[in-house]
Amino acid sequence: MLLDRLDWRWLDARFLDSSVRSWIAAAGVAAASYLALLLIQRLVVRRVGRIAGRTVSGVDDLVVELARRTRRWLLLLTVIYFGSLFLNLPHRLDAVLRTAAVLAVLVQLALWSLTGIDFWVARTRRQRLAEDAASVSLIGLLAFIAKVVLAAVVLLLILDNLGVNVTALVAGLGVGGIAVALALQNILGDLLASLSIVLDKPFVLGDTINIGDLTGTVENVGLKTTHLRGTGGEQIVISNGDLVKSRIRNLKRMTERQVTLTFGVVYGTPVAALAAIPGLVREIVEAQEQVRFGRAHLKRLAEWSLEFEAAYAVLSPDYNLYMDRQQAINLALLRRLEDAGIALAFPTRTIHFAGEPAAAGDITSGP
């Protein structure tokens, strides 16, 4: 046979301490591995990509994106090292191929991680844009921080595999980071405060909030400041750091408005009329729609009036409805008190003298 006549001794020839037979086997393993990886990548992109278009789950979309971001030249470096395992290469060449493969794996993992971050950002923005638009800008900040941390870790790993002593570099970066943090502590404080606002959600865009003597509607939550639209139409800008340190009253999250009504009637009002006032207030409040009566009592005997206190709730957070019901109750109370002949008190003071003042001639001077 022809094959028997061929001289196969050339397969035993050696190159770089490995036979030609070993080189052929290594090349075959590397080529087969590379083609298998390319085939898997293509199948994932095509088959899983078609399935992803028909499902609402984000896992299959992420798998497709990871497959698309897989770089072929990085796969090639990896399979070359895998094939070299079948060879008896010189130590230095083997170390070079091993380092190249490790770097290829690190770079590919970094690309996959960046893809995962971008995928999470895009998906989260779509979900939160309608319900919590304030967090969209901060999601970008979180993604940026994650990418910076990822790049730093990958860079340190690459330098470590290249033989660079990263211990001193990490120590230097730590000292430099402390100095930068001290110089930018106010800005960093506002950034962390904005993150706290997004995660804790004391308010969202469109909420009306009260901070001290300031009241306004939230228009924007930025990385450093929050913008409110005041009740007078002016724009109020508050740093996020000051905002999270303040007591925030979220007026939009009220389910109802509690009202306390205080008024006083004059001394001298008959006791029977005084006893009828709580029932009179109750009738007035219960006659109003969307109002729940709480209580009404003669609270105290004040300096210049007999003071009554009543409490009721307007069963809606709407401010206009609250003012309408309060006005109706106040007017009805004034009308009923007037009909009953009960006068409202106002600050007065009566001074009673014990006797007539001394005449001018009675005043004598001292010795």
Side-chain angles (χ1 to χ4, degrees), residues 175-328:
V175 174
I178 293 175
V180 172
L182 289 175
L184 302 176
Q185 56 182 336
N186 290 334
I187 296 177
L188 293 177
D190 288 332
L191 292 177
L192 293 176
S194 66
L195 180 61
S196 173
I197 292 172
V198 170
L199 296 179
D200 195 41
K201 291 185 177 61
F203 54 82
V204 296
L205 293 186
D207 284 3
T208 300
I209 62 175
N210 174 269
I211 308 156
D213 58 347
L214 300 176
T215 301
T217 302
V218 181
E219 288 189 333
N220 178 58
V221 180
L223 300 180
K224 192 176 186 305
T225 61
T226 294
H227 296 179
L228 308 179
R229 181 63 59 182
T231 54
E234 74 280 8
Q235 187 180 64
I236 304 171
V237 181
I238 308 175
S239 69
N240 292 328
D242 294 338
L243 194 58
V244 297
K245 294 176 184 177
S246 306
R247 289 183 173 86
I248 302 172
R249 298 172 58 201
N250 194 324
L251 304 180
K252 189 174 181 180
R253 294 182 182 176
M254 290 189 301
T255 57
E256 59 184 28
R257 289 181 179 267
Q258 298 290 334
V259 184
T260 300
L261 173 63
T262 302
F263 61 94
V265 299
V266 297
Y267 277 97
T269 304
V271 176
L274 294 175
I277 289 178
L280 181 146
V281 174
R282 183 181 190 124
E283 292 177 7
I284 293 172
V285 172
E286 291 181 344
Q288 304 295 321
E289 295 181 357
Q290 290 187 282
V291 178
R292 183 181 66 247
F293 176 77
R295 57 182 173 79
H297 299 91
L298 173 59
K299 181 180 180 182
R300 67 191 183 106
L301 308 179
E303 182 180 359
W304 47 268
S305 68
L306 300 170
E307 188 173 293
F308 284 83
E309 182 178 272
Y312 60 90
V314 179
L315 305 180
S316 171
D318 183 71
Y319 186 76
N320 288 331
L321 177 65
Y322 155 71
M323 292 299 294
D324 289 342
R325 295 298 179 265
Q326 185 171 244
Q327 175 180 267

Side-chain angles (χ1 to χ4, degrees), residues 53-296:
R54 300 191 298 267
T55 62
V56 296
S57 173
V59 177
D60 43 14
D61 295 315
L62 178 59
V63 171
V64 173
E65 287 300 319
L66 293 177
R68 287 173 177 169
R69 290 295 297 271
T70 302
R71 295 294 177 259
R72 296 183 178 182
W73 63 274
L74 295 175
L75 296 178
L76 182 61
L77 289 176
T78 305
V79 299
I80 287 175
Y81 173 70
F82 181 66
S84 71
L85 297 178
F86 294 86
L87 302 174
N88 186 24
L89 297 176
H91 177 72
R92 187 169 183 178
L93 179 58
D94 183 67
V96 170
L97 291 176
R98 185 187 305 110
T99 301
V102 171
L103 295 183
V105 171
L106 289 175
V107 172
Q108 185 59 65
L109 289 176
L111 291 176
W112 282 341
S113 300
L114 292 175
T115 302
I117 293 173
D118 291 337
F119 182 84
W120 172 78
V121 169
R123 187 176 179 85
T124 306
R125 279 179 172 172
R126 287 196 301 268
Q127 292 175 347
R128 294 198 176 188
L129 189 60
E131 59 187 43
D132 187 9
S135 62
V136 172
S137 59
L138 294 176
I139 290 173
L141 172 63
L142 293 178
F144 174 75
I145 294 175
K147 290 180 180 180
V148 170
V149 172
L150 175 65
V153 172
V154 172
L155 179 60
L156 290 176
L157 292 174
I158 289 176
L159 293 177
D160 184 60
N161 280 275
L162 293 177
V164 178
N165 184 8
V166 298
T167 304
L169 180 60
V170 171
L173 290 175
V175 174
I178 293 175
V180 172
L182 289 175
L184 302 176
Q185 56 182 336
N186 290 334
I187 296 177
L188 293 177
D190 288 332
L191 292 177
L192 293 176
S194 66
L195 180 61
S196 173
I197 292 172
V198 170
L199 296 179
D200 195 41
K201 291 185 177 61
F203 54 82
V204 296
L205 293 186
D207 284 3
T208 300
I209 62 175
N210 174 269
I211 308 156
D213 58 347
L214 300 176
T215 301
T217 302
V218 181
E219 288 189 333
N220 178 58
V221 180
L223 300 180
K224 192 176 186 305
T225 61
T226 294
H227 296 179
L228 308 179
R229 181 63 59 182
T231 54
E234 74 280 8
Q235 187 180 64
I236 304 171
V237 181
I238 308 175
S239 69
N240 292 328
D242 294 338
L243 194 58
V244 297
K245 294 176 184 177
S246 306
R247 289 183 173 86
I248 302 172
R249 298 172 58 201
N250 194 324
L251 304 180
K252 189 174 181 180
R253 294 182 182 176
M254 290 189 301
T255 57
E256 59 184 28
R257 289 181 179 267
Q258 298 290 334
V259 184
T260 300
L261 173 63
T262 302
F263 61 94
V265 299
V266 297
Y267 277 97
T269 304
V271 176
L274 294 175
I277 289 178
L280 181 146
V281 174
R282 183 181 190 124
E283 292 177 7
I284 293 172
V285 172
E286 291 181 344
Q288 304 295 321
E289 295 181 357
Q290 290 187 282
V291 178
R292 183 181 66 247
F293 176 77
R295 57 182 173 79

